[in-house]
Amino acid sequence: MDWVYVEDIAGHAGREVEVRGWVYHKRSSGKVRFLVVRDGTGLLQGTMYSADKDAPLFQTFDALTQESSVLVRGVVREEKRAPGGFELEIREIVPVQISRDYPITPKEHSTPFLMEHRHLWLRSEKQHAVLRVRAEVVKAIRDFFDGRGFRLMDTPILTPSACEGTTTLFETAYFDQKAYLSQSGQLYNEATAMAFGKVYCFGPTFRAERSKTRKHLIEFWMVEPEVAFATLEDITVLGEDLVLFIIDRVLTRRRADLDILERDVKPLERVAKPFPRLRYEEILPRLQEKGSTIKFGDDFGAPEEALLSEFYDVPVCISHFPAAVKAFYMQPAPDRPDLALGVDVIASESYGEIIGGGQRIHDLDLLEERIREHRLPREAYEWYLDLRKYGSVPHSGFGLGVERTVSWMCGIKHIRETIPFPRLLYRIYP
Amino acid sequence: MDWVYVEDIAGHAGREVEVRGWVYHKRSSGKVRFLVVRDGTGLLQGTMYSADKDAPLFQTFDALTQESSVLVRGVVREEKRAPGGFELEIREIVPVQISRDYPITPKEHSTPFLMEHRHLWLRSEKQHAVLRVRAEVVKAIRDFFDGRGFRLMDTPILTPSACEGTTTLFETAYFDQKAYLSQSGQLYNEATAMAFGKVYCFGPTFRAERSKTRKHLIEFWMVEPEVAFATLEDITVLGEDLVLFIIDRVLTRRRADLDILERDVKPLERVAKPFPRLRYEEILPRLQEKGSTIKFGDDFGAPEEALLSEFYDVPVCISHFPAAVKAFYMQPAPDRPDLALGVDVIASESYGEIIGGGQRIHDLDLLEERIREHRLPREAYEWYLDLRKYGSVPHSGFGLGVERTVSWMCGIKHIRETIPFPRLLYRIYP
């Protein structure tokens, strides 16, 4: 007899199959017993009929508890009333292990309790839906870049230089040296972009920040494209295209999951090109007018992102930030050297910054000056300076945070549910 | 005028385009000048004609050096004799930056020199080919699992428990606790497999081993599938299918790169299902007969892998290892509890172990016993034990190392060239 996954059940109508999974739900109604089994790919309702309430099959049924593991054998029948359109006429149930006192019950549980049981919480319908959306977002991102001829270039996690202060870096002993966990693959991307033209890296990044917000993780995944010869304008358009590609994929392929999450999809359907584009100096007075205490030179915080969501019901591109508060490698605006050619994309509905990027300095003298001004150890950047000595070209790139994007797609307010095992301040278990 | 990538040039025959890239090669022949430009996606030959050797275009040409960055404008012409079948009738060259004394010349360089200049070495034709194969292998792996309904579940890098001794682990301070960089996502995969049925994780892993061999990296990428209800046999077949899928993709899509690398493809074309399957106890006497000093309980080293490649010209599956030397979570063989239901796949041609995996213990009592025997801190494994309390099922999985696989595909003997920025013993720059 074939072992069949629930997602493939439609192809087996009329045939006897074996489904392997866990008890999700069961109920009795007169001479009928209903057993809903989950196998990780879907839910399948099985039915049993008997006039004898002590029939052996019913006795087995009676002993099953929530999350007990089972092999269920029976014939697949089309049944419009069943969830998924098919059900199983059960002929045999083989319990694999009877689960006792499964800790997550239909009642409400506290967040600390659920986080402590994250390894089991993952089995719940809502968590399932969020993580399926996550997998789809990741796949969409990779398909987007692969389809446009970008070459995947994995950048290292263990890096020697402490870019700008070590306070938010995880440090480890690397044999006789020190190493730091990467916060971005960008500097390495700049090298591979000069070799391959269009590249991206996509991996975990780390920030040892003692901040406890609903938008930050200690360990999170980021995709970072980098394009030789691209300007700020070019990568702003690239970022828009990426966001639209992700939204389209999620709306097309994961609509059922969004339904489970009760996500109102209208705010996503509404997103179109081009996103409103504003310079930092343009948006500042509007934010202040609405009561924000932001001053020239400040970054946007949650209150400013919330205000932006009042002004616009789509994502917004903010560019031309004060150079003094931005990273040392940012290209200054030609007409305003006090402004940096950087761009942030702020998601709608207060989901915060999902993209940060910009054009990088390609002039050797200027980059050397900035390294001195920022008091960075020059020897650590020798290789990075080489990129400006040997065929330097204007180039640009950005980073998009996966978890922020998933929380936006799913419409969930706390980022901790967008990754299987979140790393938060003081939370590293399980 | 359109900015066109070399890989797309065929679609622009007869049109005037701009190519943006770097000087790869140039030569003169009477009234003709040839300029080969690389833009990261390919090489394009450009030609210029003039009776006047001091023509302005020729003067610009004369000033160009290796790896100078340029914008080259001209008309695309079909030209069968040119590499790629097209060339550019150059009308204008705009130098972006003239490169002086590019350190990597056509002469031979030492490995330490090349590693120190890895950020530039990446531009060389051979390195280019290897890393294109790498990107293809990664994409093949993801397509394989996505296409079979496996759900991507990213597992954490920062983990709390030191599985089995901390000597090969990188340690870091995680706020008030200690954390270790992951060597495998497997334990977490076991939790997500119980939630999603079929899962995989795919990310960087870390081994702080003081070993200096041509098959080991300190930081490397690994894909790890895990399947609920799967047996050792099931995942051995899955591993075979994955290897065949990767080989087929590389042979189909990256043949030109294998040509650049002068890879003899016959050893790859020859690989078919099923791979020879041998128990550890079967192969041991044959290895000893050929002079190996291996004893029952030893793992295979490079000499044993070389001998295996003499016996077989295809990959081999070795299973049923001595349980005492394997990880605590390995399921014992039913008939021989001193043997573990583990499997290694050893690549042909002495490229070493590419897959390691097996069936995991699903019985709670046995797992608790093993945790005691291995003197592991039980509290760190509470969540892992929960998986055996709540709907435990037999399950299996494996890990496939990306870099080993890429070195095999490319036929290169040292693994350091299979990743953009290798992390080796005492090598963390650039």
Side-chain angles (χ1 to χ4, degrees), chain B residues 283-301:
Chain B
I283 196 70
L284 213 59
R286 294 177 60 190
L287 293 168
Q288 289 161 339
E289 212 168 89
K290 286 278 185 178
S292 164
T293 57
I294 193 170
K295 302 179 307 294
F296 185 87
D298 292 347
D299 247 340
F300 292 173

Side-chain angles (χ1 to χ4, degrees), chain B residues 83-355:
Chain B
F86 290 88
E87 65 173 23
L88 199 67
E89 275 183 24
I90 296 179
R91 303 219 170 139
E92 190 183 4
I93 300 173
V94 182
V96 179
Q97 193 233 4
I98 298 298
S99 177
R100 305 261 171 241
D101 305 319
Y102 185 68
I104 301 178
T105 57
K107 71 163 192 172
E108 281 278 310
H109 295 283
S110 73
T111 299
F113 180 88
L114 290 171
M115 292 300 289
E116 197 70 14
H117 293 86
R118 183 65 178 167
H119 53 294
L120 304 174
W121 189 23
L122 294 172
R123 304 181 186 184
S124 303
E125 194 183 24
K126 194 181 148 194
Q127 298 307 311
H128 234 250
V130 173
L131 293 176
R132 278 193 302 253
V133 172
R134 177 190 172 91
E136 196 71 53
V137 167
V138 171
K139 188 166 167 51
I141 291 168
R142 293 188 179 269
D143 287 348
F144 176 84
F145 287 113
D146 292 341
R148 288 177 172 230
F150 283 67
R151 203 68 64 174
L152 173 69
M153 287 289 134
D154 297 309
T155 51
I157 304 299
L158 292 167
T159 53
S161 66
C163 279
E164 294 169 85
T166 56
T167 50
T168 64
L169 286 172
F170 287 104
E171 182 183 308
T172 188
Y174 189 88
F175 308 105
D176 304 340
Q177 300 171 62
K178 282 181 183 177
Y180 303 90
L181 302 194
S182 173
Q183 293 195 334
S184 160
Q186 181 205 314
L187 304 194
Y188 292 99
N189 274 345
E190 292 182 57
T192 56
M194 300 307 135
F196 291 87
K198 303 173 275 188
V199 298
Y200 71 105
C201 67
F202 196 172
T205 49
F206 305 86
R207 293 204 187 166
E209 274 180 54
R210 288 192 179 268
S211 66
K212 208 172 172 176
T213 84
R214 58 186 178 79
K215 287 182 191 166
H216 287 88
L217 289 172
I218 302 300
E219 177 179 337
F220 60 100
W221 282 67
M222 185 157 65
V223 63
E224 296 176 87
E226 189 78 26
V227 185
F229 295 100
T231 62
L232 178 66
E233 171 64 19
D234 293 330
I235 61 109
T236 304
V237 173
L238 185 71
E240 286 175 337
D241 286 345
L242 173 61
V243 169
L244 288 168
F245 190 87
I246 294 169
I247 291 176
D248 181 62
R249 274 290 182 87
V250 170
L251 288 177
T252 310
R253 300 192 184 175
R254 301 257 59 95
R255 184 66 69 122
D257 292 322
L258 299 182
D259 288 347
I260 289 168
L261 298 167
E262 297 174 8
R263 172 63 163 131
D264 175 9
V265 297
K266 283 194 287 299
L268 298 176
E269 287 172 336
R270 172 192 301 143
V271 180
K273 260 172 81 169
F275 303 167
R277 298 199 189 173
L278 296 148
R279 290 187 174 215
Y280 178 89
E281 288 181 318
E282 290 177 86
I283 196 70
L284 213 59
R286 294 177 60 190
L287 293 168
Q288 289 161 339
E289 212 168 89
K290 286 278 185 178
S292 164
T293 57
I294 193 170
K295 302 179 307 294
F296 185 87
D298 292 347
D299 247 340
F300 292 173
E304 288 72 35
E305 289 168 358
L307 282 177
L308 273 178
S309 295
E310 286 182 27
F311 300 152
Y312 300 97
D313 63 0
V314 290
V316 188
C317 302
I318 313 279
S319 67
H320 295 79
F321 299 92
V325 298
K326 283 284 176 183
F328 74 94
Y329 49 71
M330 282 243 183
Q331 176 74 14
D335 52 332
R336 286 281 304 275
D338 60 322
L339 301 181
L341 292 182
V343 62
D344 285 356
V345 179
I346 316 288
S348 45
E349 304 169 86
S350 298
Y351 284 96
E353 182 197 321
I354 49 170
I355 284 180

Side-chain angles (χ1 to χ4, degrees), chain A residues 22 38 67 69 97 119 128 134 154 157-158 171-172 174 194-195 219 386 390-392 423-424, chain B residues 22 38 67 69 97 119 123 128 134 154 157-158 171-172 174 194-195 219 386 388 391-392 423-424:
Chain A
W22 296 266
R38 66 164 193 88
E67 286 299 318
S69 43
Q97 192 233 5
H119 53 293
H128 234 250
R134 177 191 172 91
D154 296 309
I157 303 298
L158 292 167
E171 182 184 307
T172 188
Y174 189 87
M194 300 307 134
E219 178 179 337
D386 274 0
Y390 305 115
S392 188
R423 294 301 178 236
L424 302 161
Chain B
W22 296 265
R38 66 165 195 86
E67 286 300 319
S69 42
Q97 193 233 4
H119 53 294
R123 304 181 186 184
H128 234 250
R134 177 190 172 91
D154 297 309
I157 304 299
L158 292 167
E171 182 183 308
T172 188
Y174 189 88
M194 300 307 135
E219 177 179 337
D386 274 358
R388 279 70 183 175
S392 188
R423 294 301 175 237
L424 302 160

Side-chain angles (χ1 to χ4, degrees), chain A residues 3 5 7 20-22 38-41 67-71 96-103 117 119-120 122-123 128 131-132 134-135 138-139 142-143 146 149 151-160 170-179 181 188 191-198 202-204 206 208-210 218-219 221 227-230 234 254 379-380 382-383 386-394 420-421 423-430, chain B residues 3 5 7 20-22 38-41 67-71 96-103 117 119-120 122-123 128 131-132 134-135 138-139 142-143 146 149 151-160 170-177 179 181 188 191-198 202-204 206 208-210 218-219 221 227-230 234 254 379-380 382-383 386-394 419-421 423-430:
Chain A
W3 167 21
Y5 282 101
E7 64 182 356
R20 304 179 182 182
W22 296 266
R38 66 164 193 88
D39 76 347
T41 75
E67 286 299 318
S68 288
S69 43
V70 285
L71 312 181
V96 179
Q97 192 233 5
I98 298 297
S99 177
R100 305 260 171 244
D101 304 320
Y102 185 68
H117 293 86
H119 53 293
L120 303 175
L122 294 173
R123 304 180 185 184
H128 234 250
L131 293 175
R132 279 193 302 251
R134 177 191 172 91
V138 171
K139 188 165 167 51
R142 292 188 179 268
D143 287 349
D146 292 341
R151 203 68 66 172
L152 174 69
M153 287 290 133
D154 296 309
T155 51
I157 303 298
L158 292 167
T159 54
F170 286 104
E171 182 184 307
T172 188
Y174 189 87
F175 307 106
D176 303 340
Q177 299 171 63
K178 281 181 182 176
L181 302 194
Y188 291 99
T192 56
M194 300 307 134
F196 292 88
K198 303 173 277 187
F202 195 173
F206 305 87
E209 274 180 53
R210 288 191 179 268
I218 302 300
E219 178 179 337
W221 282 66
V227 185
F229 294 100
D234 293 330
R254 300 257 62 93
E379 62 285 2
E382 279 300 340
W383 69 268
D386 274 0
L387 306 177
R388 279 71 184 176
K389 290 180 193 162
Y390 305 115
S392 188
V393 303
F421 297 94
R423 294 301 178 236
L424 302 161
L425 191 60
Y426 309 123
R427 157 72 55 199
I428 195 176
Y429 176 93
Chain B
W3 167 20
Y5 282 101
E7 65 182 357
R20 303 178 183 183
W22 296 265
R38 66 165 195 86
D39 76 345
T41 74
E67 286 300 319
S68 289
S69 42
V70 286
L71 312 180
V96 179
Q97 193 233 4
I98 298 298
S99 177
R100 305 261 171 241
D101 305 319
Y102 185 68
H117 293 86
H119 53 294
L120 304 174
L122 294 172
R123 304 181 186 184
H128 234 250
L131 293 176
R132 278 193 302 253
R134 177 190 172 91
V138 171
K139 188 166 167 51
R142 293 188 179 269
D143 287 348
D146 292 341
R151 203 68 64 174
L152 173 69
M153 287 289 134
D154 297 309
T155 51
I157 304 299
L158 292 167
T159 53
F170 287 104
E171 182 183 308
T172 188
Y174 189 88
F175 308 105
D176 304 340
Q177 300 171 62
L181 302 194
Y188 292 99
T192 56
M194 300 307 135
F196 291 87
K198 303 173 275 188
F202 196 172
F206 305 86
E209 274 180 54
R210 288 192 179 268
I218 302 300
E219 177 179 337
W221 282 67
V227 185
F229 295 100
D234 293 330
R254 301 257 59 95
E379 62 284 4
E382 279 301 340
W383 70 268
D386 274 358
L387 306 177
R388 279 70 183 175
K389 289 181 194 161
Y390 306 114
S392 188
V393 304
I419 188 165
F421 296 94
R423 294 301 175 237
L424 302 160
L425 192 60
Y426 308 125
R427 157 71 57 197
I428 195 177
Y429 177 94

Side-chain angles (χ1 to χ4, degrees), chain A residues 263-283:
Chain A
R263 172 63 163 131
D264 175 9
V265 297
K266 281 192 288 299
L268 298 176
E269 288 173 334
R270 170 191 306 144
V271 180
K273 260 173 81 171
F275 303 168
R277 298 198 189 173
L278 296 148
R279 290 187 173 214
Y280 179 88
E281 288 180 319
E282 290 177 89
I283 196 70

